Amino acid sequence: MEALRDAIRSGRLLPGTRLPSSRTLAADLGVARNTVARAYSELVAEGWLTSQHGSRTTVSQRAADVRRSRTVRPGTTTPPRPEHDLRPGHPDLSSFPREEWARAVKRALQAAPTEAFGYADPHGRPELREALAEYLARARGVRCEPDDIVVCCGAAEGLDLIARALADIGVSAVAVEEFGLPAQRRSLTDAGLRCPPLAVDAGGADVDALDAMPDVGGVVLTPSHQFPLGVPLRPDRRASVIDWARRTGGVVIEDDYDGEFRYDRTPVGALHGVDPDRVGYLGTVSKTLAPGLRLGWLVLPHRLTEAVIRQKGETEATCGFLEQLAMAEFLRAGGYDRHIRTMRAQYRRRREHLLAALARSSPLTEVHGLPAGLHALLGLDGGGESALAGRPPWRRLAVEGLDLYRHPAAASDRDGLVVGFAAPAPSAWSAALAALIGLLP
């Protein structure tokens, strides 16, 4: 109820806006219909909403009057909040499997050994590491034992731990793809590592360029679905980077950020399965379940495990034992597989809706990358991103341009929009898609 009231006060829900039915909103939020109906009734009584028998609930005119009456301190401005979240890598949080997760938490808590309530093992709970070893072998082709796995607080902490461990053993530089997450480059540079870029084309990262970088001791790759360009690492390049690692003693860091979501075929197996002694694997539930769980894992070559544990001990960061035990139970009971199957079908439909809408309304817009993941890359002519940013519809969308992910030393001048299609709730997807189409030429 408070979230609705805040949305009306802030202007994100304008007077006259029709709200979803109590049944639809309850399904989106995973709560009882009576809970939504009670919240609607209270907001009607307060004057924020209007409702008549047999008609939809709408935002009342009083909302505009209240906003106009609020005073703003001179010299302060509040940036408008976007109406639709189309940022890449953000899952549909309204589809979180609350009931199954709650059952997993209850079972995990009831079965938890007394020692689990004490100080945590920096490797992570053994129950989760055992469940992950089985799941990763089956779903992603990762070959490991539970002792090879280190549980961490999401992908960001995982890469930070690896970066500091590599610096600790004498590595001075780790190559990255010329388009990628700025936060990953920051993790490397914060650890004192240089991060020269590798060009990316239709075959993925140009890993052959590593031979001309003798001081590079590692490379971060997104081989299954390059982020954000969306291409896979070509088979000969997969073999080439493993050969480079064997020849030089380098480490390949595989970020398998959305490897479960491929829509035209069975997902390509992880690079880790080719050579577990040379590849460190980074996984997380941030795309499959929710980033708020702060739960990820590293599958490490033996020579890196203790170096990472030393770093983890220094930071004293660990995921809570209950989340780990619940995740282990969720995996063992099949809930994780069921949820991924459900979301894979949902995201596939959304991607198809996006392609169909583009074909109808913006036929010159090209979609690049595999039918996979939670985002699509829409190609633009040079300077197109800057032109779109000046249009009023841009302010309604949380959408990101390709330039945000460009390495400062990248040679590529590609332009485009990186559009996430997963975050909006099912009831909001049509409006988000319409707003995006309204932005494009």
Side-chain angles (χ1 to χ4, degrees), residues 39-63:
Y40 276 2
S41 296
E42 291 188 28
L43 292 173
V44 168
E46 294 174 8
W48 296 108
L49 302 178
T50 59
S51 179
Q52 296 179 355
H53 182 70
S55 64
R56 293 282 289 274
T57 302
T58 61
V59 178
S60 73
Q61 182 59 39
R62 177 179 184 271

Side-chain angles (χ1 to χ4, degrees), residues 70-78:
R70 295 178 65 187
T71 58
V72 180
R73 288 179 294 173
T76 63
T77 59
T78 302

